[in-house]
Amino acid sequence: MGKLLQIRVQASTYSEDDVRRAWPRLFELAFSSQVPVPSSGMRGVMELVARLDDIRRFADGLPNEVKAILDKNLPPVLEIRDELESSLADWKTARANTLSDDLEKAIADLETMVS
């Protein structure tokens, strides 16, 4: 890196609408205006996972069945997300690419559980 120019490797979502179509139930749960956790900015894959974790831990009024599903099944998703971010920070892009597929699969699995 230069003195003034930083090089960053990051994961970002191209289209919020793709996330909404891929996981409609989780998207609505995470970004509904009825959820008391504030939402701002992009509503992509990484933000979806972060919001679901916030809702699981802090939101009042979450149906018990949904909370139980998130309590049991969201931690492995968070682990994949954390490993993805770590791989990006270490410039391990091939590993991050594999983890992005793993993350999307884990979210898809969670979507079916919440149905």
Side-chain angles (χ1 to χ4, degrees):
M1 285 193 281
K3 292 180 183 178
L4 303 175
L5 185 62
Q6 293 184 353
I7 309 295
R8 295 183 184 179
V9 181
Q10 66 182 30
S12 62
T13 301
Y14 176 74
S15 170
E16 181 177 301
D17 290 334
D18 290 343
V19 177
R20 182 190 328 267
R21 279 190 296 275
W23 308 301
R25 290 170 195 87
L26 293 175
F27 192 92
E28 177 62 24
L29 178 62
F31 300 115
S32 167
S33 60
Q34 298 172 355
V35 176
V37 180
S39 176
S40 61
M42 178 63 161
R43 296 183 297 180
V45 175
M46 301 298 266
E47 296 82 8
L48 174 71
V49 173
R51 289 273 297 164
L52 290 172
D53 189 36
D54 286 346
I55 289 165
R56 174 182 70 101
R57 293 187 299 143
F58 304 119
D60 293 330
L62 189 63
N64 289 338
E65 179 181 306
V66 173
K67 179 156 178 30
I69 290 168
L70 292 178
D71 282 343
K72 179 179 179 184
N73 300 289
L74 189 58
V77 176
L78 296 169
E79 288 177 22
I80 297 168
R81 189 253 344 245
D82 293 347
E83 189 176 348
L84 171 58
E85 289 178 338
S86 178
S87 294
L88 290 171
D90 293 338
W91 291 44
K92 296 178 181 176
T93 55
R95 178 70 181 139
N97 187 52
T98 299
L99 288 164
S100 70
D101 293 336
D102 294 347
L103 182 60
E104 290 179 6
K105 167 98 173 66
I107 296 169
D109 291 346
L110 189 60
E111 172 78 13
T112 61
M113 292 176 211
V114 175
S115 317

